[in-house]
Amino acid sequence: ALSGRRQTMRSLLQIARGLCDEAGFDHQVVNDLQLQAAVRRCYGNSPATEDDAQRLENDAAARTALLEELLVRESWFYRDQRPFEMLERMVPGEWRQRSSPLHILSAPCAAGEEPYSIGMALMLGGMPPQGSRIEAVDLSVQGLAKARAGRYRSGALRAVPARAEGICFRRTPEGDCVMEEALRERVWFHRGNLLEPGMLSGEPRFDIIFCRNLFIYLHTAARQALLDALERVLAPEGL
């Protein structure tokens, strides 16, 4: 019985490794110990069975659940600050005079901290709601659910300019922060993998692409594929 359980675990790990390869994860970043720990978290203390292995191989929900265990969700608003400060400074120039909305991509978007920070910078710079559309993409179902809810612990907004409060978000009696509707309406959330063929092919070209803290998780071929994909969807004068 012990031998059978070990064989089942090996099968689960092989399937999980294949799933990571599809997602483009570098083996040195998501190593075997991390992968094994993620598989065990998925199945709790119960011994994995052959049915579990078949489910992981064939069931989209089971595969999504494993990816959720591997994704890094830690983020915060105005992370590293300077890109968002730059966006705010650029709004009063030609951007506010554009005849078409500014089209922006945030990927991966975690639980919404980055795209909402982009929206905050644009609002603080004086761009009207119809002046931009922010597309936010991530693999995590849980992260996207939180992003759509738009509610965060106050610590996540520790780096946000004080003048954004009341304009971009409000505080609840419980001490949480809720994104204002005017900000949430600027952001459109989608689940997806940027490495999937044609993932962004239906979108107009983007004027600005935020793709930060993703490349370090990818193997060399996935990095190049991602660069190629982003180059195809970036406007000629885009950032």
Side-chain angles (χ1 to χ4, degrees):
L2 180 60
S3 175
R5 288 198 295 271
R6 286 175 176 169
Q7 180 61 44
T8 300
M9 177 57 76
R10 283 196 292 269
S11 297
L12 278 167
L13 290 173
Q14 288 174 354
I15 297 167
R17 177 55 70 190
L19 181 58
C20 288
D21 290 342
E22 290 176 15
F25 293 161
D26 191 308
H27 286 214
Q28 293 183 358
V29 177
V30 181
N31 59 42
D32 289 343
L33 288 176
Q34 291 170 313
L35 199 58
Q36 187 169 349
V39 169
R40 284 178 171 160
R41 287 195 299 272
C42 279
Y43 297 100
N45 296 321
S46 303
T49 67
E50 284 295 331
D51 287 342
D52 293 327
Q54 292 180 7
R55 192 177 304 111
L56 184 59
E57 188 163 26
N58 301 309
D59 182 55
R63 295 162 74 85
T64 298
L66 178 64
L67 279 177
E68 292 280 356
E69 291 295 336
L70 291 168
L71 295 174
V72 177
R73 300 191 189 95
E74 182 185 5
S75 191
W76 59 92
F77 291 84
Y78 270 61
R79 185 174 182 176
D80 302 324
Q81 291 188 292
R82 294 180 65 184
F84 307 106
E85 294 170 352
M86 184 187 77
L87 286 185
E88 182 181 342
R89 289 196 304 269
M90 294 179 75
V91 170
E94 62 179 276
W95 285 357
R96 199 159 52 185
Q97 310 303 321
R98 286 169 56 98
S99 58
S100 60
L102 198 65
H103 199 209
I104 304 172
L105 173 66
S106 168
C109 68
E113 293 91 345
E114 182 176 88
Y116 283 138
S117 296
I118 294 169
M120 286 184 187
L122 297 178
M123 290 178 71
L124 294 176
M127 179 167 283
Q130 68 274 16
S132 66
R133 178 184 173 98
I134 304 166
E135 308 284 349
V137 178
D138 202 274
L139 274 174
S140 174
V141 173
Q142 295 176 23
L144 290 171
K146 181 176 179 180
R148 292 187 179 103
R151 183 169 180 144
Y152 302 87
R153 296 292 186 185
S154 60
L157 285 90
R158 61 189 179 274
V160 173
R163 65 187 186 281
E165 187 165 353
I167 299 172
C168 304
F169 67 92
R170 57 182 171 81
R171 297 185 187 273
T172 69
E174 297 79 17
D176 291 347
C177 296
V178 178
M179 300 299 103
E180 292 288 1
E181 193 66 23
L183 174 58
R184 292 168 63 184
E185 288 177 349
R186 290 178 183 246
V187 185
W188 297 73
F189 292 102
H190 314 273
R191 183 179 183 273
N193 183 350
L194 291 178
L195 295 174
E196 292 175 0
M199 170 66 200
L200 300 170
S201 59
E203 294 286 342
R205 288 202 169 193
F206 292 95
D207 301 293
I208 304 172
I209 294 177
F210 274 68
C211 186
R212 313 181 67 217
N213 305 307
L214 171 59
F215 288 88
I216 59 173
Y217 298 103
L218 303 180
H219 55 67
T220 302
R223 290 179 185 178
Q224 188 59 57
L226 178 56
L227 281 171
D228 292 344
L230 295 179
E231 185 177 19
R232 284 194 297 271
V233 298
L234 182 64
E237 300 300 323
L239 300 176

